[in-house]
Amino acid sequence: MRIKHMFKKTVRDIRGEEYGNTPEVPDNLMRKCNACKAAVFADEVKQNHYICPHCGNYFHVPAYRRIKMVVDRKSFTEWDVHMEEQNPLQYKGYEEKIRSLREKTGLDEAVVTGKCTIKGTPTALGVCDCRFMMSSMGEVVGEKITRVFERATKERLPVILYICSGGARMQEGLVSLMQMAKTSMAIRKHSDAGLLYVPVLTDPTTGGVTASFAMLGDIILAEPKALIGFAGPRVIEQTIGQKLPKGFQRAEFLLEHGFVDKIVEREEQRSVLADILKLHENKIPDYGQSDNSDMEMKYKSDNAESTETAVGDKRESENTIWPEFIPSGNYTPWEHVQLARAKTRPTGKDYIEALFDDFMEFHGDRHCGDDPAVIGGVAFFHGKPVTVLAQEKGEGTRENIARNFGMVSPEGYWKSLRLMQQAEKFHRPVICLVDTPGAFCGLEAEERGQGEAIAKNLYTLAGLTVPVLSIVIGEGGSGGALAFAVADEVWMLEHSVYSILSPEGFASILWKDSKKAKEAAAVMKLTAADLYQMGMIEHVIPEAEPVSRENINDAAAYLENGIEDFLGKYGKTEPEKLLEHRYERFRKM
Ligand SMILES: [Zn+2]
């Protein structure tokens, strides 16, 4: 009887929303999975990360079980136990309800907080438990979460929160609403101290919690299919008088719409969190003993007279790293354009794989979408974290289409902007890989402010106090490329091109004849060799021929040495000098 009863029960939050999807699993019982209806052993489910062994359905995980699943053995120390509710509205029956829930769940309140290590890295951790009033946020929940951030700020710890919630706790009235402000303000202080916060959104994350601490992470993770939204689905359906589409407000929907960085399966969460923590262990960089502390801010080219040492002008080391560039006379500019556009050409993904370790891709612009024409994330370069942003055309027609042939939309620029700002916060150098025919020309792009999106990137890159390197790996088309190339140095692969717009567009505008693209290419000075001669770029990277993914190794080896050298030099440059140098680089053009 009891089993049946518990299965049929839907957990209701205080507004009467139904979340019957993922019930908790009681001890020592045979249960029925609410998704596939198969009978499952509770113990088996527990051993299997609370996942149905038949259909993969995720059950709710009790807080202490969740902690056990994620942290290093015996590393968890709980903070702020036994805090008492105030019952500010003198709401009838509230205290009794709390008491009975405490007895039933063995929990003090809806969130458990403390400190632990995950694969050796210390972190503050909070875990919500939906058995306790649907993990709604009353004063105690808000207070415990606020204290996690305050203490983590003091102890310079990152914060990981496993979140689920029905929203604000109605029984506490406006006091409950204020917890949204209180927690957000504590997060702000933690963030201003340069510290990492990673929320993991689980089923369901709704209401006031979604409108506060759930969405304020540096990196937002979610469990597959978790319901995440501000207004509950039933409220929306009642308001608009329509049935919601399948998958609406699920984690996958949020990923597609730019609000979640990554959906992580339960089995992977411990290791993904450990990787994220490792990628953010980097402390404030050491600007001491820079050999260019009084460097002359001088942009150089091989043709420019340069007698004093500027950043990026260390001839001795250059000679060992960079081969003497002999422009290949074998190709016409138009042939270079063809090589830059060749379908066989390695794309951003290939270079990311060749140059970096443990790349972790992050998604979303936090506004409305996730542009597949931009791949962004964090990786290690020779053991040091870097932010990588790549314009990606994709491989093969199918992927070309999915990635819009590398033509970036405002969502792509917003995503890169967000990741640039993240790089600044965590003192990570930014490495941009440029490969776009140009920014996407389309109705939606204009509606969302394509021009503004590009301009914001130029503006933001101009102000980053971390080293920025841009490498044109294929087509550098117009403002769409420049939005990734306001950098301390810009390099080009031998057969890449960089231009004001496509030769076809150039011919069409100036000569009213797009068929004269070949002639246009000849006058546009768009090849790496031309731009190097003109002093517009710092280095040209030789490419093996024929240009193909299989032949990436030579160029990748040059790039690897070059990047090591670049980071060595610019990583030690004081922020003001770096900014001044970047300013001067473009000021002279
Ligand atoms: Zn199942």
Side-chain angles (χ1 to χ4, degrees), residues 33-38 40 52-57 59:
C33 166
N34 57 310
C36 71
K37 315 293 179 209
V40 291
C52 172
H54 301 283
C55 71
N57 179 46
F59 295 97

Side-chain angles (χ1 to χ4, degrees), residues 1 31 39 62 106 135 186 201 247 250 266 274-275 281 307 338-339 362 373 473 491 515 525 567 576:
M1 259 324 270
R31 297 289 311 271
S135 194
L201 312 183
R250 295 290 160 187
R266 233 169 235 176
D275 288 348
E281 269 181 331
T307 49
Q338 303 309 310
L339 284 168
F362 297 139
I473 58 168
W491 305 346
K515 290 195 192 75
K525 291 203 185 293
L567 294 178
E576 311 82 68

Side-chain angles (χ1 to χ4, degrees), residues 363-383:
H363 293 274
D365 61 0
R366 297 285 195 274
H367 291 292
C368 63
D370 179 47
D371 186 354
V374 172
I375 295 178
V378 186
F380 284 113
F381 178 81
H382 292 184

Side-chain angles (χ1 to χ4, degrees), residues 48-180:
N48 189 33
H49 295 93
Y50 283 73
I51 300 169
C52 172
H54 301 283
C55 71
N57 179 46
Y58 278 25
F59 295 97
H60 286 155
V61 186
Y64 289 104
R65 293 274 178 179
R66 179 76 84 168
I67 292 166
K68 228 173 160 180
M69 276 159 58
V70 173
V71 311
D72 297 339
R73 234 170 83 81
K74 294 188 173 170
S75 72
F76 185 73
T77 316
E78 192 169 346
W79 290 347
D80 300 310
V81 284
H82 306 311
M83 292 178 63
E84 286 300 320
E85 286 75 10
Q86 298 298 322
N87 198 4
L89 304 186
Q90 299 303 309
Y91 191 85
K92 210 168 151 243
Y94 183 46
E95 279 122 340
E96 291 74 38
K97 183 160 189 182
I98 297 279
R99 257 200 305 277
S100 91
L101 276 169
R102 281 187 178 151
E103 251 170 60
K104 207 164 132 194
T105 60
L107 294 163
D108 267 356
E109 248 290 353
V111 65
V112 177
T113 59
K115 183 181 170 176
C116 66
T117 60
I118 298 178
K119 294 200 182 179
T121 312
T123 182
L125 176 72
V127 179
C128 297
D129 193 317
C130 62
R131 292 174 303 166
F132 205 100
M133 294 188 80
M134 209 48 233
S135 194
S136 59
M137 175 163 59
E139 193 205 339
V140 171
V141 171
E143 182 65 24
K144 286 183 88 168
I145 287 179
T146 301
R147 288 187 187 190
V148 169
F149 283 97
E150 286 175 346
R151 190 155 168 188
T153 307
K154 214 177 270 170
E155 297 185 21
R156 295 206 60 79
L157 288 172
V159 174
I160 293 169
L161 291 186
Y162 267 90
I163 298 169
C164 64
S165 184
R169 191 174 290 178
M170 297 300 140
Q171 290 88 334
E172 293 190 20
L174 198 67
V175 171
S176 173
L177 191 74
M178 290 307 128
Q179 305 311 311
M180 291 168 65

Side-chain angles (χ1 to χ4, degrees), residues 20 83 100 110 118 141 203 246 259 269 383 411 425 430 476 515:
M83 292 178 63
S100 91
I118 298 178
V141 171
D203 187 77
K246 203 169 180 295
F259 296 100
Q269 285 168 9
E411 297 90 297
K425 174 176 170 183
V430 178
K515 290 195 192 75

